[in-house]
Amino acid sequence: MPSAYTIDQLTEIIVMDGFSASVKRTQRKRSVGFRVVDGEVFVLAPKSISKAELHLMLVTKQAWVRAKLVSQSKRQPRSERQYVSGEQFACLDDELRLDVRPGAFKTCVVESQRLIVTVPQAKPEWVRNALERWYRQQAEIHIKDRVAHFAPLVGAWPTTIQIKTYWARWGSCNHQGQLQFNWKIMMAPSAVVDSVVVHELCHLLHMHHGPEFWAQVKRVLPHYRDAKQWLKEEGYQLTLD
Ligand SMILES: [Zn+2]
């Protein structure tokens, strides 16, 4: 393992929002590669491509990089929650520390990475229910916002958007053009939530999982497979049970 000093000397670093990438100059002619290995981001690039150009390329890849980083980080197991102060709860790309405070029931608030829940007594089910209400509210805001963002890109608009509780699915779409989303998806990284939003929007065009459907998903989200893989591996943890 080279020391930090050696790395600084030999590699260029591109600092992004939330991560930094080491540039490795290669013998490649034009093509640029992106790798996320053990939580580290590498850009493999020929000498002819400037750092500024690589930075722009990385901007278009950042959702993919973040999803990779999150899937590689060891998130705390979600099972056997106690609903006590200090436990970690994920919401999109944030890991929040639960802070249970005594007082009359109040809407949860987030303050400097702490998720503050105010309940008369620290009963686990009261804390859990307050958290569910909060995740639902977050889902109402965030998912509607992402649907508004992606609908023009997909070229399909839903008639209604509902936030629901499902046990074994993240979203659904029916023949009336109504979309439903599971609030539990808010515990996943934002890139994963986007993939679920795009998946359901694409069902407005194709009510099946055939090649045209996946081609449409890929056109809007070229790296949707990473999010799909993340959900396959980590999806069971997105729960308050
Ligand atoms: Zn589907």
Side-chain angles (χ1 to χ4, degrees), residues 199-200 203 209 213:
H199 183 114
E200 298 309 332
H203 276 321
H209 290 133
F213 169 80

Side-chain angles (χ1 to χ4, degrees), residues 6-55:
T6 320
I7 289 173
D8 276 349
Q9 291 294 301
L10 296 180
T11 60
E12 301 157 85
I13 307 282
I14 301 174
V15 178
M16 302 291 293
D17 186 15
F19 67 90
S20 55
S22 307
V23 180
K24 303 253 182 233
R25 295 298 178 173
T26 65
Q27 300 306 312
R28 290 163 177 247
K29 287 277 178 285
R30 284 297 303 170
S31 71
V32 176
F34 299 89
R35 301 270 184 281
V36 181
V37 183
D38 296 334
E40 285 192 77
V41 185
F42 298 97
V43 180
L44 310 173
K47 293 185 184 68
S48 60
I49 297 185
S50 72
K51 194 172 161 185
E53 286 175 282
L54 293 176
H55 179 264

Side-chain angles (χ1 to χ4, degrees), residues 13-132:
I13 307 282
I14 301 174
V15 178
M16 302 291 293
D17 186 15
F19 67 90
S20 55
S22 307
V23 180
K24 303 253 182 233
R25 295 298 178 173
T26 65
Q27 300 306 312
R28 290 163 177 247
K29 287 277 178 285
R30 284 297 303 170
S31 71
V32 176
F34 299 89
R35 301 270 184 281
V36 181
V37 183
D38 296 334
E40 285 192 77
V41 185
F42 298 97
V43 180
L44 310 173
K47 293 185 184 68
S48 60
I49 297 185
S50 72
K51 194 172 161 185
E53 286 175 282
L54 293 176
H55 179 264
L56 278 179
M57 289 182 200
L58 207 46
V59 167
T60 68
K61 291 283 282 190
Q62 57 187 343
W64 175 83
V65 170
R66 287 210 185 91
K68 278 271 180 203
L69 285 171
V70 169
S71 73
Q72 290 180 8
S73 74
K74 292 282 170 280
R75 288 183 161 216
Q76 185 178 320
R78 299 298 176 209
S79 54
E80 318 234 343
R81 290 184 194 270
Q82 311 289 312
Y83 297 100
V84 293
S85 293
E87 277 183 310
Q88 297 277 335
F89 286 83
C91 183
L92 301 174
D93 301 321
D94 291 320
E95 282 284 335
L96 305 170
R97 262 177 99 78
L98 180 62
D99 184 348
V100 181
R101 294 183 183 178
F105 286 111
K106 243 187 353 195
T107 306
C108 301
V109 286
V110 173
E111 261 176 41
S112 50
Q113 299 301 108
R114 279 173 311 139
L115 178 53
I116 301 167
V117 177
T118 310
V119 283
Q121 283 174 46
K123 291 187 187 174
E125 80 244 44
W126 285 2
V127 176
R128 187 222 162 268
N129 292 345
L131 289 173
E132 176 176 335

Side-chain angles (χ1 to χ4, degrees), residues 141-161:
I141 300 163
H142 182 76
I143 292 178
K144 285 182 179 166
D145 186 62
R146 298 315 281 164
V147 168
H149 171 81
F150 284 111
L153 302 176
V154 172
W157 284 260
T159 52
T160 58
I161 303 161

